[in-house]
Amino acid sequence: MHRTSRLTMAAAGLAVLTACADTTTGTETPLSPLGSASVSPATSPSASPSVSAGGPKLVDADLSGLKNYTIDLGVPVVIALTLDSGGKHQLQSHPDGSADFTGTAVTESTRMTIKPAKVRKRSESNKNHVMIVASPKVAADGPASCLTDVRETVLRMEPCRPGEANQSWRLTPAGDSGLFELTGAHTAVRSEDGPIVKEGGWSAFETIAVTP
């Protein structure tokens, strides 16, 4: 083989090696400044969930607007229509869970406690909002029951769910001190001889404290 041919082959081999080196360098994973391999977005670990993902802590609604009225709060009471309605009809729960104003005596099913509603943040829109909690002397197993505005004129006692809109009632002072109206998510409470009605009836109520 001629010397010229040998030189030509050697040059060709050097070119091939140089090309391979360039190709390898182009496909290598670049190093970070600390010397570790960079992590592609597809393999990056997901971020930890935010601590505040569940929202702010629930607090008691502002009931300061009721402090100058003789409305019993935080103690067992019966919630009754006033004498103007023609009788002492009281808020009462029934075995099927329904609630109305057919009660006529202090019993385990008419004892209630009016407590501040639980809200995410106090505001004018939830001021004087309360929960009405069943308060029998002998508490049943499980969570307490709260008056729930299921739909217009349909009230039920259901397990209390703090922050639940259907269990939050706006209590509005009405007329004489101690009288008030109740408005839920669906129902402005009115009653005629016990049942809850959409129109007519009586809308003023009062609390009567009972033995704890």
Side-chain angles (χ1 to χ4, degrees), residues 147-155 166-167 169 184-187:
L147 185 66
T148 306
D149 194 2
V150 177
R151 60 181 181 274
E152 189 175 16
T153 73
V154 178
L155 310 184
N166 287 359
Q167 294 182 342
W169 297 88
H186 311 291
T187 306

Side-chain angles (χ1 to χ4, degrees), residues 108-203:
E108 291 288 79
S109 61
T110 60
R111 291 165 53 91
M112 309 283 172
T113 300
I114 300 176
K115 299 181 178 181
K118 293 294 185 179
V119 297
R120 292 292 182 188
K121 182 180 180 181
R122 290 181 173 182
S123 66
E124 282 299 316
S125 64
N126 57 42
K127 188 174 183 179
N128 296 341
H129 275 233
V130 301
M131 298 177 72
I132 298 175
V133 186
S135 304
K137 283 189 174 182
V138 181
D141 293 335
S145 295
C146 284
L147 185 66
T148 306
D149 194 2
V150 177
R151 60 181 181 274
E152 189 175 16
T153 73
V154 178
L155 310 184
R156 294 184 62 82
M157 300 302 295
E158 297 184 350
C160 295
R161 300 181 292 273
E164 171 66 52
N166 287 359
Q167 294 182 342
S168 180
W169 297 88
R170 185 173 73 246
L171 195 156
T172 307
D176 298 335
S177 179
L179 304 187
F180 57 89
E181 297 178 350
L182 284 171
T183 306
H186 311 291
T187 306
V189 181
R190 307 179 71 88
S191 180
E192 184 69 53
D193 295 326
I196 308 297
V197 296
K198 291 183 180 181
E199 299 178 351
W202 302 86
S203 61

Side-chain angles (χ1 to χ4, degrees), residues 25-64:
T25 302
T27 58
E28 284 184 340
T29 302
L31 297 181
S32 71
L34 294 180
S36 58
S38 298
V39 180
S40 67
T43 59
S44 296
S46 59
S48 300
S50 172
V51 174
S52 59
K57 182 179 178 181
L58 292 172
V59 297
D60 288 347
D62 179 8
L63 303 188
S64 61

